[in-house]
Amino acid sequence: LVSVQTQNKQMASVKVVSYKPNPRVIKSQIVGKIAGVSVESAGWPMGEGKKYLWDVTGGTALAEDKVTDSYQKTDAFKKANPFGEVPAVFNEAGTEAIFESNSIARYVARLGASNKNLYGADAWQSSQIDSWLDKGHELEMAATPWIGSKFGYKNDDAVIEKAKTSTLKWFETANTYLTGKDFIVGGSLTLADVCVTVSMGMLFSVCLDADQKGKFPEIARFIQKRMGEAEFADLVAFEQVMAARMAAK
């Protein structure tokens, strides 16, 4: 039985298929805690994706002689999720999917019995939030070679340097914008605060050195404020795991 999203009078529930832990899933887990939605991650350990058969219900460990150099996915997974990536959420029949982490976070916010203006108070604020979610995704993509290099993934020096330049430029713009602000849009916590904090947080803690962090005091203040809120506990735990992995290298 594919039971990835159910709703009853007590609490809605969403199952996200992904590797674990995944900071992109943490976006939805934070939103779920605020909106009253149970968000479960089902899949495989980080870095172990080739040892599992990906399916709409999660992942099944492959026998050692079945493991290859490619990611293996069931036909149902590929049909419902045409780009074949994770994280993804599937409907109960396993025939349709929501993919991309920000889209899943939006879904969780909409599903909540009380979204507490997570998606803004009106159409204008909702569109402002969308703008920041798009820019946060842009940051994640631009920074990928740089953060990858911190965990031993090889790339050309020029590619890493370009990623570093783009990331620091993004941070410069955001730092100016956040001056004097506790929230990105409006006067209360929204999806923008959740998703952008996750996007910025890992990069800020792992990639930036002390001198670079010192140039972005408003971002440091903003992240520290969010990380001190109970709903962000999963992000705090994730960054501790990543810090330990880096220390072990």
Side-chain angles (χ1 to χ4, degrees):
L1 173 66
V2 181
S3 182
V4 295
Q5 181 271 305
T6 61
Q7 187 170 10
N8 54 45
K9 292 182 180 179
Q10 280 96 23
M11 179 178 284
S13 177
V14 173
K15 181 184 290 184
V16 185
V17 176
S18 176
Y19 60 85
K20 300 183 288 184
N22 183 347
R24 292 176 174 85
V25 176
I26 290 173
K27 294 176 184 177
S28 293
Q29 291 171 327
I30 294 170
V31 173
K33 288 179 179 179
I34 299 167
V37 178
S38 173
V39 179
E40 173 193 356
S41 181
W44 47 92
M46 178 186 285
E48 301 292 317
K50 292 179 181 178
K51 298 179 181 179
Y52 284 75
L53 177 64
W54 300 14
D55 189 36
V56 297
T57 59
T60 303
L62 293 163
E64 190 173 342
D65 62 343
K66 299 295 184 181
V67 176
T68 69
D69 287 333
S70 301
Y71 296 115
Q72 300 182 57
K73 307 163 188 178
T74 64
D75 290 340
F77 182 97
K78 292 185 288 187
K79 185 175 182 180
N81 183 14
F83 294 98
E85 300 172 345
V86 293
V89 172
F90 296 86
N91 66 344
E92 191 167 348
T95 57
E96 298 176 350
I98 301 170
F99 40 87
E100 293 298 330
S101 61
N102 287 343
S103 293
I104 296 170
R106 289 181 176 106
Y107 172 63
V108 174
R110 291 171 174 137
L111 194 61
S114 173
N115 65 28
K116 301 180 181 178
N117 282 339
L118 272 170
Y119 216 154
D122 52 32
W124 176 262
Q125 283 193 353
S126 295
S127 297
Q128 285 185 295
I129 290 166
D130 285 334
S131 298
W132 279 98
L133 265 59
D134 289 348
K135 279 297 178 182
H137 179 71
E138 181 181 292
L139 171 66
E140 293 173 0
M141 295 300 99
T144 295
W146 189 15
I147 197 166
S149 70
K150 298 293 184 179
F151 291 97
Y153 294 98
K154 303 296 182 183
N155 216 321
D156 293 338
D157 289 345
V159 172
I160 296 172
E161 192 60 33
K162 181 179 178 181
K164 185 185 301 185
T165 299
S166 297
T167 301
L168 295 177
K169 179 63 176 176
W170 196 103
F171 271 73
E172 181 181 341
T173 301
N175 190 74
T176 299
Y177 177 82
L178 288 171
T179 300
K181 290 184 172 68
D182 287 332
F183 306 103
I184 292 176
V185 175
S188 62
L189 193 73
T190 69
L191 272 171
D193 299 303
V194 173
C195 294
V196 172
T197 296
V198 175
S199 298
M200 293 192 303
M202 181 70 173
L203 296 170
F204 199 81
S205 64
V206 171
C207 292
L208 275 65
D209 59 31
D211 288 341
Q212 290 167 332
K213 289 177 181 177
K215 296 177 181 178
F216 307 120
E218 295 299 325
I219 290 177
R221 175 190 58 80
F222 184 85
I223 291 174
Q224 185 176 21
K225 179 176 178 61
R226 295 283 86 83
M227 299 286 264
E229 295 167 349
E231 294 85 356
F232 286 77
D234 288 331
L235 181 59
V236 174
F238 174 78
E239 292 200 2
Q240 290 171 344
V241 169
M242 292 299 102
R245 289 194 180 195
M246 286 195 66
K249 286 188 175 294

Coordinates of all heavy atoms in Angstrom, one line a residue, residues 62-149:
L62 N 19.4 -3.3 -2.0 CA 19.7 -4.3 -3.1 C 20.7 -5.3 -2.6 O 21.5 -5.1 -1.7 CB 20.3 -3.6 -4.3 CG 19.4 -2.6 -5.1 CD1 20.3 -1.7 -6.0 CD2 18.4 -3.4 -5.9
A63 N 20.6 -6.5 -3.1 CA 21.6 -7.6 -2.8 C 22.9 -7.1 -3.4 O 23.0 -6.4 -4.4 CB 21.2 -8.9 -3.5
E64 N 24.0 -7.5 -2.7 CA 25.3 -7.0 -3.1 C 25.6 -7.2 -4.6 O 26.2 -6.3 -5.2 CB 26.4 -7.7 -2.2 CG 27.8 -7.0 -2.4 CD 28.8 -7.6 -1.4 OE1 28.3 -8.2 -0.4 OE2 30.0 -7.4 -1.6
D65 N 25.2 -8.3 -5.1 CA 25.5 -8.6 -6.5 C 24.6 -7.9 -7.5 O 24.8 -7.9 -8.7 CB 25.4 -10.1 -6.8 CG 24.0 -10.7 -6.6 OD1 23.2 -10.0 -5.9 OD2 23.8 -11.8 -7.1
K66 N 23.6 -7.1 -7.0 CA 22.7 -6.3 -7.8 C 23.1 -4.8 -7.9 O 22.6 -4.1 -8.6 CB 21.3 -6.4 -7.3 CG 20.7 -7.9 -7.3 CD 20.6 -8.4 -8.8 CE 19.9 -9.8 -8.8 NZ 19.8 -10.3 -10.1
V67 N 24.1 -4.5 -7.0 CA 24.5 -3.1 -7.0 C 25.3 -2.7 -8.2 O 26.2 -3.5 -8.6 CB 25.3 -2.8 -5.7 CG1 25.8 -1.3 -5.7 CG2 24.4 -3.0 -4.5
T68 N 25.1 -1.6 -8.8 CA 25.8 -1.1 -10.0 C 26.3 0.3 -9.8 O 26.1 0.8 -8.7 CB 24.9 -1.2 -11.3 OG1 23.9 -0.1 -11.1 CG2 24.2 -2.5 -11.4
D69 N 26.9 0.9 -10.8 CA 27.4 2.2 -10.7 C 26.3 3.3 -11.0 O 26.5 4.5 -11.0 CB 28.5 2.5 -11.7 CG 29.8 1.8 -11.2 OD1 30.0 1.6 -10.0 OD2 30.6 1.5 -12.1
S70 N 25.0 2.8 -11.2 CA 23.9 3.7 -11.6 C 22.9 3.6 -10.5 O 22.8 2.6 -9.7 CB 23.3 3.3 -12.9 OG 24.2 3.3 -13.9
Y71 N 22.0 4.6 -10.4 CA 20.9 4.6 -9.5 C 19.8 3.8 -10.1 O 19.5 4.0 -11.3 CB 20.4 6.0 -9.2 CG 21.4 6.9 -8.5 CD1 21.9 8.0 -9.1 CD2 21.8 6.6 -7.2 CE1 22.8 8.8 -8.5 CE2 22.7 7.4 -6.5 CZ 23.2 8.5 -7.2 OH 24.1 9.3 -6.5
Q72 N 19.2 2.9 -9.4 CA 18.2 2.0 -9.9 C 16.9 2.4 -9.3 O 16.7 2.6 -8.1 CB 18.5 0.5 -9.5 CG 19.9 0.1 -10.1 CD 20.1 -1.4 -9.8 OE1 19.4 -2.3 -10.1 NE2 21.3 -1.7 -9.2
K73 N 15.9 2.5 -10.2 CA 14.6 3.0 -9.9 C 13.5 2.2 -10.5 O 13.6 1.7 -11.6 CB 14.4 4.5 -10.4 CG 15.5 5.4 -9.9 CD 15.6 6.7 -10.7 CE 16.9 7.4 -10.3 NZ 17.0 8.7 -11.1
T74 N 12.4 2.0 -9.8 CA 11.3 1.2 -10.3 C 10.6 1.9 -11.4 O 10.7 3.2 -11.5 CB 10.3 0.8 -9.2 OG1 9.7 2.1 -8.7 CG2 10.9 0.1 -8.0
D75 N 9.9 1.2 -12.3 CA 9.1 1.8 -13.3 C 8.1 2.8 -12.8 O 7.9 3.9 -13.3 CB 8.4 0.8 -14.2 CG 9.4 0.0 -15.0 OD1 10.6 0.5 -15.2 OD2 9.1 -1.1 -15.5
A76 N 7.5 2.4 -11.7 CA 6.5 3.3 -11.1 C 7.1 4.6 -10.6 O 6.5 5.7 -10.8 CB 5.8 2.6 -9.9
F77 N 8.3 4.5 -10.0 CA 9.0 5.7 -9.6 C 9.3 6.7 -10.8 O 9.0 7.9 -10.7 CB 10.3 5.3 -8.9 CG 11.1 6.5 -8.3 CD1 11.0 6.9 -7.0 CD2 11.9 7.2 -9.2 CE1 11.7 7.9 -6.5 CE2 12.7 8.3 -8.6 CZ 12.6 8.6 -7.3
K78 N 9.8 6.1 -11.9 CA 10.2 6.9 -13.0 C 9.0 7.5 -13.8 O 9.0 8.6 -14.3 CB 11.0 6.0 -14.0 CG 12.4 5.7 -13.4 CD 13.2 4.9 -14.4 CE 12.8 3.5 -14.6 NZ 13.7 2.7 -15.5
K79 N 7.9 6.7 -13.8 CA 6.7 7.2 -14.5 C 6.0 8.3 -13.7 O 5.6 9.3 -14.3 CB 5.7 6.0 -14.6 CG 4.4 6.4 -15.5 CD 3.5 5.2 -15.7 CE 2.3 5.6 -16.6 NZ 1.5 4.4 -16.8
A80 N 5.9 8.2 -12.4 CA 5.3 9.3 -11.6 C 6.2 10.5 -11.4 O 5.7 11.6 -11.3 CB 4.9 8.7 -10.2
N81 N 7.5 10.3 -11.4 CA 8.5 11.3 -11.1 C 9.4 11.4 -12.3 O 10.5 10.8 -12.3 CB 9.2 10.9 -9.9 CG 10.2 12.0 -9.4 OD1 10.2 13.1 -9.9 ND2 11.1 11.6 -8.5
P82 N 9.0 12.1 -13.4 CA 9.7 12.0 -14.7 C 11.2 12.4 -14.7 O 11.9 11.9 -15.5 CB 8.9 12.9 -15.6 CG 8.1 13.8 -14.7 CD 7.8 13.0 -13.5
F83 N 11.6 13.3 -13.8 CA 13.0 13.7 -13.7 C 13.8 12.7 -12.9 O 15.0 12.8 -12.8 CB 13.1 15.1 -13.3 CG 12.5 16.1 -14.3 CD1 11.3 16.6 -14.1 CD2 13.2 16.5 -15.4 CE1 10.7 17.5 -15.0 CE2 12.7 17.4 -16.3 CZ 11.4 17.9 -16.1
G84 N 13.1 11.9 -12.1 CA 13.8 10.8 -11.4 C 14.6 11.3 -10.2 O 15.5 10.5 -9.8
E85 N 14.3 12.4 -9.7 CA 15.2 13.0 -8.6 C 14.4 12.9 -7.3 O 13.2 12.8 -7.2 CB 15.6 14.4 -8.9 CG 16.4 14.5 -10.2 CD 16.6 16.0 -10.6 OE1 15.9 16.9 -10.1 OE2 17.5 16.2 -11.5
V86 N 15.2 13.1 -6.2 CA 14.6 13.2 -4.9 C 15.1 14.5 -4.3 O 16.2 15.0 -4.7 CB 15.1 12.0 -4.0 CG1 14.4 10.8 -4.5 CG2 16.6 11.8 -3.9
P87 N 14.4 15.1 -3.3 CA 13.2 14.5 -2.7 C 11.9 14.6 -3.6 O 11.8 15.4 -4.5 CB 13.0 15.4 -1.5 CG 13.6 16.8 -1.9 CD 14.7 16.4 -2.7
A88 N 11.0 13.7 -3.3 CA 9.7 13.6 -4.0 C 8.7 13.1 -3.0 O 8.9 12.3 -2.2 CB 9.8 12.7 -5.2
V89 N 7.4 13.5 -3.3 CA 6.3 13.1 -2.5 C 5.3 12.5 -3.6 O 5.1 13.1 -4.6 CB 5.6 14.2 -1.8 CG1 4.3 13.7 -1.2 CG2 6.5 14.7 -0.7
F90 N 4.8 11.3 -3.3 CA 3.9 10.6 -4.2 C 2.5 10.6 -3.7 O 2.3 10.5 -2.4 CB 4.4 9.2 -4.5 CG 5.7 9.2 -5.2 CD1 6.9 9.2 -4.4 CD2 5.8 9.1 -6.5 CE1 8.1 9.2 -5.0 CE2 7.0 9.1 -7.2 CZ 8.2 9.2 -6.4
N91 N 1.5 10.6 -4.6 CA 0.1 10.5 -4.1 C -0.2 9.0 -3.6 O 0.7 8.1 -3.8 CB -0.9 10.9 -5.2 CG -0.9 10.0 -6.4 OD1 0.0 9.2 -6.6 ND2 -1.9 10.1 -7.2
E92 N -1.3 8.8 -3.1 CA -1.6 7.5 -2.4 C -1.5 6.4 -3.4 O -1.1 5.3 -3.1 CB -3.0 7.5 -1.7 CG -3.2 6.3 -0.9 CD -4.4 6.5 0.1 OE1 -4.9 7.6 0.2 OE2 -4.8 5.5 0.7
A93 N -1.9 6.6 -4.7 CA -1.9 5.6 -5.7 C -0.5 5.4 -6.3 O -0.2 4.4 -7.0 CB -2.8 5.9 -6.8
G94 N 0.4 6.3 -6.0 CA 1.8 6.2 -6.5 C 1.9 6.5 -7.9 O 2.9 6.1 -8.6
T95 N 1.0 7.3 -8.5 CA 0.9 7.6 -9.9 C 1.3 9.0 -10.2 O 1.5 9.3 -11.4 CB -0.5 7.3 -10.5 OG1 -1.4 8.1 -9.7 CG2 -0.9 5.8 -10.3
E96 N 1.4 9.8 -9.2 CA 1.7 11.2 -9.4 C 2.7 11.7 -8.3 O 2.7 11.1 -7.3 CB 0.5 12.1 -9.4 CG -0.5 11.8 -10.5 CD -1.8 12.7 -10.4 OE1 -1.9 13.4 -9.3 OE2 -2.6 12.7 -11.3
A97 N 3.5 12.7 -8.6 CA 4.5 13.2 -7.7 C 4.6 14.7 -7.6 O 4.2 15.4 -8.6 CB 5.8 12.6 -8.0
I98 N 5.0 15.1 -6.5 CA 5.5 16.5 -6.3 C 7.0 16.4 -6.1 O 7.4 15.6 -5.2 CB 4.8 17.2 -5.1 CG1 3.3 17.2 -5.2 CG2 5.3 18.6 -4.9 CD1 2.6 17.6 -3.9
F99 N 7.7 17.2 -6.8 CA 9.2 17.2 -6.7 C 9.7 18.6 -6.6 O 9.0 19.5 -6.8 CB 9.9 16.4 -7.9 CG 9.2 16.7 -9.2 CD1 9.6 17.8 -10.0 CD2 8.2 15.9 -9.7 CE1 9.1 18.0 -11.2 CE2 7.7 16.1 -11.0 CZ 8.1 17.2 -11.7
E100 N 11.0 18.7 -6.2 CA 11.7 19.9 -5.9 C 11.3 20.3 -4.4 O 10.1 20.4 -4.1 CB 11.4 21.1 -6.8 CG 11.9 20.9 -8.2 CD 13.5 20.8 -8.2 OE1 14.1 21.4 -7.4 OE2 14.0 20.1 -9.1
S101 N 12.3 20.6 -3.6 CA 12.1 20.8 -2.2 C 11.2 21.9 -1.8 O 10.4 21.9 -0.9 CB 13.5 20.9 -1.5 OG 14.2 22.0 -2.0
N102 N 11.3 23.0 -2.6 CA 10.5 24.2 -2.3 C 9.0 23.9 -2.6 O 8.1 24.4 -1.9 CB 11.0 25.4 -3.0 CG 12.3 26.0 -2.4 OD1 12.7 25.6 -1.3 ND2 13.0 26.8 -3.2
S103 N 8.8 23.2 -3.7 CA 7.4 22.8 -4.0 C 6.8 21.9 -2.9 O 5.6 22.1 -2.6 CB 7.4 22.1 -5.4 OG 7.7 23.0 -6.4
I104 N 7.6 21.0 -2.4 CA 7.1 20.1 -1.3 C 6.8 21.0 -0.1 O 5.8 20.7 0.6 CB 8.1 19.0 -1.0 CG1 8.3 18.1 -2.3 CG2 7.7 18.2 0.2 CD1 9.4 17.1 -2.2
A105 N 7.7 21.9 0.2 CA 7.5 22.8 1.4 C 6.2 23.6 1.2 O 5.4 23.8 2.2 CB 8.7 23.7 1.6
R106 N 6.0 24.1 0.0 CA 4.7 24.8 -0.3 C 3.5 23.9 0.0 O 2.5 24.3 0.5 CB 4.7 25.3 -1.7 CG 5.7 26.4 -2.1 CD 5.5 26.8 -3.5 NE 6.3 27.9 -3.9 CZ 7.4 27.8 -4.7 NH1 7.9 26.7 -5.1 NH2 8.1 28.9 -5.0
Y107 N 3.6 22.7 -0.5 CA 2.5 21.7 -0.3 C 2.2 21.5 1.2 O 1.0 21.5 1.6 CB 2.9 20.4 -1.0 CG 1.9 19.3 -0.7 CD1 0.6 19.4 -1.1 CD2 2.3 18.1 -0.1 CE1 -0.3 18.3 -0.9 CE2 1.4 17.1 0.2 CZ 0.1 17.2 -0.2 OH -0.7 16.2 0.0
V108 N 3.2 21.3 1.9 CA 3.1 21.1 3.4 C 2.4 22.3 4.0 O 1.5 22.2 4.9 CB 4.4 20.8 4.1 CG1 4.2 20.7 5.6 CG2 5.0 19.5 3.5
A109 N 2.8 23.5 3.6 CA 2.2 24.7 4.2 C 0.7 24.8 3.8 O -0.1 25.2 4.7 CB 3.0 25.9 3.7
R110 N 0.4 24.5 2.6 CA -1.0 24.5 2.2 C -1.8 23.4 2.9 O -3.0 23.6 3.1 CB -1.1 24.3 0.7 CG -0.5 25.5 -0.1 CD -0.4 25.2 -1.6 NE 0.0 26.3 -2.4 CZ 0.8 26.3 -3.4 NH1 1.4 25.1 -3.7 NH2 1.1 27.4 -4.1
L111 N -1.2 22.3 3.2 CA -1.9 21.2 3.7 C -2.3 21.4 5.2 O -3.2 20.8 5.7 CB -1.1 19.9 3.6 CG -1.7 18.6 3.8 CD1 -2.8 18.3 2.8 CD2 -0.7 17.5 3.7
G112 N -1.5 22.3 5.9 CA -1.6 22.5 7.3 C -3.0 23.0 7.7 O -3.6 23.8 7.0
A113 N -3.5 22.5 8.8 CA -4.9 22.9 9.2 C -4.8 24.4 9.5 O -5.8 25.1 9.3 CB -5.3 22.1 10.5
S114 N -3.7 24.9 10.0 CA -3.5 26.3 10.3 C -2.1 26.7 9.8 O -1.2 26.4 10.5 CB -3.7 26.6 11.8 OG -3.4 28.0 12.1
N115 N -2.1 27.4 8.7 CA -0.8 27.7 8.1 C -0.1 28.9 8.7 O 1.0 29.3 8.4 CB -0.8 27.8 6.6 CG -1.6 29.0 6.1 OD1 -1.8 30.0 6.8 ND2 -2.2 28.9 4.9
K116 N -0.8 29.6 9.6 CA -0.2 30.8 10.3 C 0.4 31.8 9.4 O 1.5 32.3 9.7 CB 0.8 30.3 11.4 CG 0.1 29.3 12.4 CD 1.2 28.9 13.4 CE 0.5 27.9 14.4 NZ 1.5 27.4 15.4
N117 N -0.2 32.0 8.2 CA 0.4 32.9 7.2 C 1.7 32.5 6.7 O 2.5 33.3 6.3 CB 0.4 34.4 7.7 CG -0.9 35.0 7.7 OD1 -1.8 34.6 7.0 ND2 -1.1 36.1 8.5
L118 N 2.0 31.2 6.8 CA 3.3 30.7 6.2 C 3.5 31.1 4.8 O 4.6 31.3 4.3 CB 3.4 29.2 6.4 CG 3.9 28.7 7.7 CD1 3.7 27.2 7.8 CD2 5.4 29.0 7.9
Y119 N 2.4 31.2 4.1 CA 2.5 31.6 2.6 C 2.1 33.0 2.4 O 1.6 33.4 1.3 CB 1.7 30.6 1.8 CG 2.3 30.3 0.4 CD1 2.0 29.1 -0.2 CD2 3.2 31.2 -0.2 CE1 2.6 28.8 -1.5 CE2 3.8 30.9 -1.4 CZ 3.5 29.7 -2.0 OH 4.0 29.5 -3.3
G120 N 2.2 33.8 3.5 CA 1.8 35.2 3.4 C 0.4 35.5 3.7 O -0.5 34.7 3.6
A121 N 0.1 36.8 3.9 CA -1.2 37.3 4.3 C -2.1 37.6 3.1 O -3.3 37.7 3.2 CB -1.1 38.5 5.2
D122 N -1.5 37.7 1.9 CA -2.3 38.0 0.7 C -1.4 37.6 -0.5 O -0.3 37.1 -0.4 CB -2.6 39.5 0.7 CG -1.4 40.4 0.9 OD1 -0.3 40.1 0.4 OD2 -1.5 41.5 1.4
A123 N -2.0 37.9 -1.7 CA -1.4 37.5 -3.0 C 0.0 38.1 -3.1 O 0.9 37.5 -3.7 CB -2.3 37.8 -4.1
W124 N 0.1 39.4 -2.7 CA 1.3 40.1 -2.9 C 2.5 39.5 -2.0 O 3.5 39.2 -2.5 CB 1.2 41.6 -2.4 CG 2.4 42.4 -2.5 CD1 3.3 42.7 -1.4 CD2 3.1 43.0 -3.6 NE1 4.4 43.4 -1.8 CE2 4.3 43.6 -3.2 CE3 2.7 43.0 -5.0 CZ2 5.1 44.3 -4.0 CZ3 3.6 43.7 -5.8 CH2 4.7 44.3 -5.4
Q125 N 2.2 39.2 -0.8 CA 3.2 38.5 0.1 C 3.5 37.1 -0.4 O 4.6 36.7 -0.3 CB 2.7 38.5 1.5 CG 2.8 39.8 2.3 CD 2.6 39.7 3.8 OE1 2.3 38.7 4.3 NE2 2.9 40.8 4.5
S126 N 2.5 36.4 -0.9 CA 2.7 35.1 -1.4 C 3.7 35.1 -2.5 O 4.6 34.3 -2.7 CB 1.4 34.4 -1.8 OG 0.5 34.2 -0.7
S127 N 3.6 36.1 -3.4 CA 4.5 36.2 -4.5 C 5.8 36.7 -4.1 O 6.8 36.3 -4.7 CB 3.8 37.2 -5.6 OG 2.6 36.7 -6.1
Q128 N 5.9 37.5 -3.1 CA 7.2 37.9 -2.5 C 7.9 36.6 -2.0 O 9.1 36.5 -2.2 CB 7.1 38.9 -1.4 CG 6.7 40.3 -1.8 CD 6.7 41.2 -0.6 OE1 5.9 41.1 0.3 NE2 7.7 42.2 -0.6
I129 N 7.2 35.8 -1.3 CA 7.7 34.6 -0.8 C 8.2 33.7 -1.9 O 9.4 33.1 -1.9 CB 6.7 33.8 0.1 CG1 6.4 34.6 1.4 CG2 7.1 32.4 0.4 CD1 5.2 34.2 2.1
D130 N 7.5 33.6 -3.0 CA 7.9 32.8 -4.1 C 9.2 33.3 -4.7 O 10.1 32.6 -5.1 CB 6.8 32.8 -5.2 CG 5.6 31.9 -4.9 OD1 5.8 31.0 -4.2 OD2 4.5 32.2 -5.5
S131 N 9.3 34.7 -4.7 CA 10.6 35.3 -5.3 C 11.8 34.8 -4.4 O 12.8 34.4 -5.0 CB 10.5 36.8 -5.2 OG 9.4 37.3 -6.0
W132 N 11.6 34.8 -3.1 CA 12.8 34.4 -2.3 C 13.0 32.9 -2.3 O 14.2 32.5 -2.3 CB 12.5 34.8 -0.8 CG 12.9 36.3 -0.6 CD1 12.0 37.3 -0.6 CD2 14.2 36.8 -0.5 NE1 12.7 38.5 -0.5 CE2 14.1 38.2 -0.3 CE3 15.4 36.2 -0.4 CZ2 15.2 39.0 -0.2 CZ3 16.5 37.0 -0.2 CH2 16.4 38.4 -0.1
L133 N 12.0 32.1 -2.5 CA 12.2 30.7 -2.7 C 12.9 30.4 -3.9 O 13.8 29.5 -4.0 CB 10.8 29.9 -2.7 CG 10.4 29.3 -1.3 CD1 10.3 30.4 -0.2 CD2 9.1 28.5 -1.4
D134 N 12.6 31.1 -5.0 CA 13.3 30.9 -6.3 C 14.8 31.3 -6.1 O 15.7 30.7 -6.6 CB 12.7 31.8 -7.4 CG 11.3 31.2 -7.8 OD1 11.0 30.1 -7.5 OD2 10.6 31.9 -8.5
K135 N 15.0 32.4 -5.4 CA 16.4 32.9 -5.2 C 17.2 32.0 -4.3 O 18.4 31.8 -4.5 CB 16.4 34.3 -4.7 CG 16.2 35.4 -5.7 CD 17.3 35.4 -6.7 CE 17.1 36.4 -7.8 NZ 18.2 36.3 -8.8
G136 N 16.5 31.4 -3.3 CA 17.2 30.4 -2.5 C 17.6 29.2 -3.3 O 18.7 28.7 -3.1
H137 N 16.7 28.7 -4.2 CA 17.1 27.6 -5.0 C 18.3 28.0 -5.9 O 19.2 27.2 -6.1 CB 15.9 27.2 -5.8 CG 16.2 26.1 -6.8 ND1 16.4 24.8 -6.3 CD2 16.3 26.0 -8.1 CE1 16.6 24.0 -7.4 NE2 16.6 24.7 -8.5
E138 N 18.3 29.2 -6.4 CA 19.4 29.7 -7.3 C 20.7 29.6 -6.5 O 21.7 29.2 -7.0 CB 19.0 31.1 -7.7 CG 20.1 31.7 -8.6 CD 19.7 33.2 -9.0 OE1 18.7 33.3 -9.7 OE2 20.4 34.1 -8.5
L139 N 20.6 30.0 -5.2 CA 21.8 30.0 -4.4 C 22.3 28.5 -4.2 O 23.5 28.3 -4.4 CB 21.5 30.5 -3.0 CG 22.6 30.4 -1.9 CD1 23.9 31.2 -2.3 CD2 22.1 30.8 -0.6
E140 N 21.4 27.6 -4.0 CA 21.8 26.2 -3.8 C 22.5 25.7 -5.0 O 23.5 25.0 -4.9 CB 20.6 25.4 -3.5 CG 19.9 25.6 -2.1 CD 18.6 24.9 -1.9 OE1 18.2 24.2 -2.9 OE2 18.0 25.1 -0.9
M141 N 21.9 26.0 -6.2 CA 22.5 25.4 -7.4 C 23.9 26.1 -7.7 O 24.8 25.4 -8.1 CB 21.6 25.7 -8.6 CG 20.2 25.0 -8.5 SD 20.4 23.2 -8.5 CE 20.3 22.8 -6.7
A142 N 24.0 27.4 -7.5 CA 25.2 28.1 -7.8 C 26.4 27.6 -6.9 O 27.5 27.5 -7.3 CB 25.0 29.6 -7.6
A143 N 26.0 27.3 -5.6 CA 27.0 26.9 -4.7 C 27.4 25.5 -4.7 O 28.4 25.1 -4.0 CB 26.5 27.3 -3.3
T144 N 26.7 24.6 -5.4 CA 27.0 23.2 -5.4 C 28.4 22.8 -5.6 O 29.0 22.0 -4.8 CB 26.1 22.5 -6.4 OG1 24.7 22.7 -6.0 CG2 26.4 21.0 -6.5
P145 N 29.2 23.3 -6.6 CA 30.6 22.9 -6.7 C 31.4 23.3 -5.5 O 32.3 22.5 -5.2 CB 31.0 23.6 -8.0 CG 29.8 23.9 -8.8 CD 28.7 24.2 -7.7
W146 N 31.1 24.4 -4.9 CA 31.9 24.9 -3.8 C 31.7 24.0 -2.6 O 32.7 23.5 -2.0 CB 31.6 26.3 -3.4 CG 32.5 26.9 -2.4 CD1 33.7 26.5 -2.0 CD2 32.3 28.2 -1.7 NE1 34.3 27.3 -1.1 CE2 33.4 28.4 -0.9 CE3 31.2 29.1 -1.7 CZ2 33.5 29.5 0.0 CZ3 31.4 30.2 -0.9 CH2 32.5 30.4 -0.1
I147 N 30.4 23.7 -2.2 CA 30.2 22.9 -1.0 C 30.6 21.5 -1.3 O 31.1 20.8 -0.4 CB 28.7 23.0 -0.6 CG1 28.5 22.5 0.8 CG2 27.8 22.3 -1.6 CD1 27.2 22.8 1.5
G148 N 30.4 21.0 -2.6 CA 30.9 19.7 -2.9 C 32.4 19.5 -2.7 O 32.8 18.4 -2.2
S149 N 33.1 20.5 -3.0 CA 34.6 20.4 -2.8 C 35.0 20.3 -1.3 O 36.0 19.7 -1.0 CB 35.3 21.7 -3.3 OG 35.0 22.8 -2.6

